[in-house]
Amino acid sequence: MSHDARAWVWDHSRSKGTARLILVLIADRCVDDRCIAYASVTALMKRANASRSAVRAALDKLIDSGELVWLDDRQGPRGERYYHLPDAARFLAKQALEGERIPTPAGSESDPAKPLEGGPESGPGERNPTREGARIRPPEQ
């Protein structure tokens, strides 16, 4: 389900910059169409590669905009805050009523789950032969 919440953020959120990235990271943790997830500031800092002040500022912007709601009556297993993405939840509920779904991406050309047309160029287990002990050596001077 996190795919649907993430897709909503990419396609419909008004957020920008770090706030958008933080919203995507929280949406990635949503497990159902209620769009509720928990995350710590530390975890968001690590995943976004952002400073504590940048993450807190982004959370404040998202909460002020109404795209993110902090559920202060709940805590995660290690005291993390719970968040709700109300606009995403409404959008997904409306889609469910209408029988629509956000299409799942087909994957890229290099998707490992996609079968290779024509098969591999070499059989399984075959490798390019190299001489025993061949190494890249710096040129002798």
Side-chain angles (χ1 to χ4, degrees):
M1 186 52 66
S2 66
H3 167 74
D4 294 339
R6 268 192 328 262
W8 178 86
V9 173
W10 290 128
D11 296 340
H12 302 284
S13 174
R14 298 173 309 276
S15 60
K16 296 180 180 182
T18 304
R20 188 177 192 91
L21 176 58
I22 296 301
L23 193 59
V24 167
L25 292 174
I26 294 171
D28 189 44
R29 295 172 170 245
C30 294
V31 295
D32 60 23
D33 59 356
R34 294 181 302 151
C35 297
I36 295 174
Y38 65 85
S40 69
V41 171
T42 304
L44 294 170
M45 288 169 50
K46 184 175 181 180
R47 296 208 56 206
N49 195 23
S51 68
R52 181 175 302 277
S53 59
V55 170
R56 285 188 174 157
L59 289 168
D60 289 343
K61 281 182 187 178
L62 292 166
I63 290 168
D64 289 345
S65 74
E67 288 194 56
L68 190 66
V69 175
W70 172 29
L71 304 177
D72 59 353
D73 60 334
R74 296 178 71 177
Q75 283 189 345
R78 290 181 279 299
E80 300 93 343
R81 288 187 172 176
Y82 263 87
Y83 298 99
H84 179 230
L85 286 74
D87 296 341
R90 277 191 292 276
F91 179 81
L92 295 176
K94 181 181 174 190
Q95 278 194 321
L97 287 174
E98 295 172 357
E100 298 177 13
R101 296 226 9 129
I102 298 173
T104 303
S108 67
E109 291 178 12
S110 63
D111 186 356
K114 190 175 180 180
L116 197 61
E117 293 178 18
E121 292 180 17
S122 61
E126 286 185 35
R127 297 179 180 233
N128 291 336
T130 58
R131 293 180 311 182
E132 192 70 32
R135 294 189 173 99
I136 299 175
R137 295 186 178 131
E140 294 181 24
Q141 294 180 353

